[in-house]
Amino acid sequence: MTALLALMTMNIHVAVAENYPYRSDVLWTTVPDHADWLYKTGEKAKVEVSFSLYGIPQNVEVTYEIGPDMMPATTKGKVVLKNGRAVIDMGTMKQPGFLDLRLTAVKEDKKYQHHVKVGFSPDQLKPYTKNPSDFDAFWKANVETARKQVKSDKILVKSEKVDKYSTDEFDCYLLKLKVDSRHSIYGYLTKPKECSTFNVQRSTKKYPVVLCPPGAGIKTIKEPMRNTFYAKNGFIRLEMEIHGLNPEMTDEQFKEITSAFDYENGYLTNGLDNRDNYYMKHVYVACVRALDYLCSLPDWDGRNVFVQGGSQGGALSLITAGLDPRVTACVANHPALADMAGYLDHRAGGYPHFNRLNNMLTSEKVATMAYYDVVNFARRITCPVYLTWGYNDNVCPPTTSYIVWNLITSKKESLITPINEHWTSSDTNYGQMLWLKKMIY
């Protein structure tokens, strides 16, 4: 851990998405009295809080709330900073989990907020979500059905080279993959220049393949050049979307489609009353079908199959690793869709936080969630896993990331970044590619 100082500033006019403020006059610093931000249940946690303006400590009044991760506050108070500092006793937890200290200060008529989470025996967190007895049979049948519907275990594909995204080091192709009788997905495939599957003359070089599923939202691939360091380092990489939306669509067309889904992530509630009708069924199958395609490439090395993603993409990476034994290594950041019904256990549940919507935690919907929850795929992963998450994340909370981590029984490594909200650094992302390089055999 290179830094344990939580340095996020957020005022009422501008919402800052990261802990480290960019060109901000104000700086919060919060330092738990345990360097790793972790405590055993029953231990008390204390946090030193400081607040500076232009780098000068301020003697301001800070109001605070303390509550369990993603849950209402159980304690409220005020403290006046002396020489810009004060120590707040967060108390403890009797059960494994995280406490969140939420801070507010007013300076020059502006409100500034900050928060910091600390954990209590999180290695003992367990899922609320049950493991259905017919889970494996359900998913095996759905994958087999999708393959039969296109009458082949090889995926049907339309491909077009994209010159504007191709360079002297790699080629980029826009693909449309038919994954079952009804659904297609789009993706950008980047390949090392020596790799020329779509040309008559083919290289004898072989490469590992990497599937990258997307984060949440009605969207497609906006930055196909962002992760081209994979191709530069000898990977064939497919960055996919899940809604069948062509990346060449205009922004206005995307806006219209988003509206048709009721709201940006409305697809995550679509059909949740019935496991056979849930929207995400064809998404999970599509990830396996995308691997069918990647493993059909003559330039694949025949051994190494990787999945990598963050948030919803992290969830889909873990899900694919649990569904498909061909996956030889998995990288995931702060996975979504994890222990989604955990709120029924009076604690944080996973994104998309169905507790915030009416009638979304009914017995029928919770039963469906169990077939789609990351925790039940994590139980089945056999390949090495590299998992990254932060404690200050309010999108995919640390409670659910730890639950996933605790369930994985295969070889695993973690990079825990307490300060992080819902983001990873460029160095972390590049380091994950380097970890996959070590997994090549």
Side-chain angles (χ1 to χ4, degrees):
M1 189 61 53
T2 59
L4 289 176
L5 301 181
L7 307 175
M8 181 194 75
T9 300
M10 190 168 68
N11 65 42
I12 59 177
H13 302 293
V14 181
V16 180
E18 299 183 359
N19 304 82
Y20 295 96
Y22 176 70
R23 294 187 178 180
S24 174
D25 296 330
V26 166
L27 182 68
W28 287 96
T29 307
T30 48
V31 183
D33 60 347
H34 282 196
D36 60 1
W37 302 24
L38 294 181
Y39 303 78
K40 296 186 181 300
T41 50
E43 281 188 300
K44 283 191 174 184
K46 294 183 179 181
V47 177
E48 183 182 79
V49 176
S50 68
F51 179 90
S52 298
L53 179 65
Y54 310 123
I56 302 170
Q58 301 295 301
N59 296 332
V60 298
E61 181 179 79
V62 173
T63 60
Y64 64 87
E65 296 182 348
I66 301 170
D69 191 11
M70 306 299 295
M71 302 298 284
T74 54
T75 301
K76 297 183 179 182
K78 296 181 180 180
V79 64
V80 177
L81 305 188
K82 296 181 179 180
N83 296 320
R85 288 179 169 79
V87 174
I88 296 176
D89 188 339
M90 290 184 64
T92 189
M93 296 185 76
K94 294 181 180 180
Q95 301 296 325
F98 279 80
L99 277 181
D100 191 6
L101 173 62
R102 304 151 192 163
L103 305 161
T104 302
V106 177
K107 188 69 177 178
E108 298 181 354
D109 298 323
K110 291 184 179 181
K111 183 184 292 185
Y112 299 93
Q113 295 177 317
H114 177 65
H115 81 124
V116 58
K117 298 183 190 181
V118 297
F120 296 85
S121 302
D123 57 321
Q124 297 178 24
L125 280 163
K126 297 179 180 180
Y128 174 86
T129 301
K130 304 299 185 291
N131 183 20
S133 60
D134 61 345
F135 183 91
D136 296 303
F138 173 77
W139 284 110
K140 181 180 179 181
N142 279 292
V143 171
E144 289 178 349
T145 297
R147 286 172 172 157
K148 290 176 182 177
Q149 287 173 347
V150 292
K151 300 179 181 180
S152 173
D153 62 353
K154 294 183 179 180
I155 201 164
L156 298 179
V157 58
K158 293 181 181 179
S159 66
E160 178 182 351
K161 186 177 178 183
V162 186
D163 289 331
K164 64 182 178 181
Y165 296 144
S166 298
T167 71
D168 292 339
E169 296 177 278
F170 59 85
D171 288 324
C172 179
Y173 298 85
L174 175 62
L175 307 181
K176 183 180 181 180
L177 310 178
K178 184 75 172 175
V179 296
D180 60 30
S181 61
R182 293 181 54 201
H183 302 99
S184 296
I185 60 168
Y186 286 85
Y188 282 109
L189 188 77
T190 50
K191 314 175 75 170
K193 199 69 173 181
E194 302 91 336
C195 187
S196 50
T197 296
F198 298 105
N199 298 330
V200 175
Q201 298 296 323
R202 289 177 176 152
S203 170
T204 58
K205 289 191 175 182
K206 305 291 185 179
Y207 303 90
V209 293
V210 184
L211 176 67
C212 179
I218 307 297
K219 61 185 180 183
T220 190
I221 306 154
K222 292 293 188 182
E223 299 179 272
M225 299 293 285
R226 184 179 60 177
N227 294 302
T228 54
F229 54 82
Y230 277 86
K232 294 176 182 178
N233 280 272
F235 294 90
I236 300 172
R237 186 174 188 273
L238 176 60
E239 186 164 346
M240 61 178 279
E241 58 83 48
I242 61 173
H243 303 297
L245 303 178
N246 191 323
E248 300 302 317
M249 278 182 163
T250 65
D251 290 340
E252 184 61 30
Q253 287 172 319
F254 279 120
K255 184 177 180 180
E256 291 176 354
I257 290 172
T258 300
S259 299
F261 275 87
D262 187 33
Y263 63 96
E264 184 179 5
N265 295 330
Y267 65 94
L268 289 169
T269 67
N270 191 334
L272 193 55
D273 286 303
N274 186 301
R275 68 177 188 175
D276 294 310
N277 296 331
Y278 188 35
Y279 184 90
M280 295 300 286
K281 184 175 77 170
H282 84 266
V283 174
Y284 290 15
V285 170
C287 291
V288 176
R289 299 293 285 131
L291 288 189
D292 286 346
Y293 168 72
L294 288 171
C295 292
S296 73
L297 296 175
D299 304 294
W300 173 46
D301 65 15
R303 297 183 301 275
N304 297 287
V305 178
F306 304 143
V307 286
Q308 173 265 321
S311 194
Q312 179 186 263
L316 292 174
S317 296
L318 292 163
I319 287 162
T320 306
L323 270 179
D324 197 323
R326 290 176 297 184
V327 176
T328 56
C330 171
V331 169
N333 302 325
H334 40 251
L337 313 178
D339 208 32
M340 292 178 282
Y343 286 100
L344 295 175
D345 200 23
H346 308 291
R347 57 161 175 77
Y351 181 88
H353 306 294
F354 287 130
N355 64 311
R356 298 173 181 174
L357 302 174
N358 292 330
N359 301 314
M360 290 307 298
L361 291 176
T362 65
S363 59
E364 293 83 4
K365 290 183 173 70
V366 170
T368 296
M369 288 177 203
Y371 289 90
Y372 293 87
D373 201 292
V374 169
V375 300
N376 284 328
F377 295 91
R379 300 178 198 271
R380 292 164 166 82
I381 293 175
T382 57
C383 68
V385 174
Y386 185 34
L387 194 63
T388 298
W389 69 98
Y391 293 168
N392 284 341
D393 197 335
N394 277 342
V395 179
C396 297
T399 297
T400 57
S401 289
Y402 259 104
I403 286 171
V404 171
W405 172 258
N406 293 343
L407 285 171
I408 296 171
T409 58
S410 61
K411 181 181 177 181
K412 58 186 179 181
E413 296 180 44
S414 66
L415 173 62
I416 301 174
T417 56
I419 196 171
N420 284 28
E421 305 259 348
H422 196 61
W423 57 275
T424 54
S425 69
S426 297
D427 286 344
T428 292
N429 297 336
Y430 192 82
Q432 291 172 342
M433 181 276 297
L434 295 177
W435 183 86
L436 286 175
K437 287 187 78 169
K438 293 192 298 182
M439 294 297 107
I440 295 173
Y441 70 97

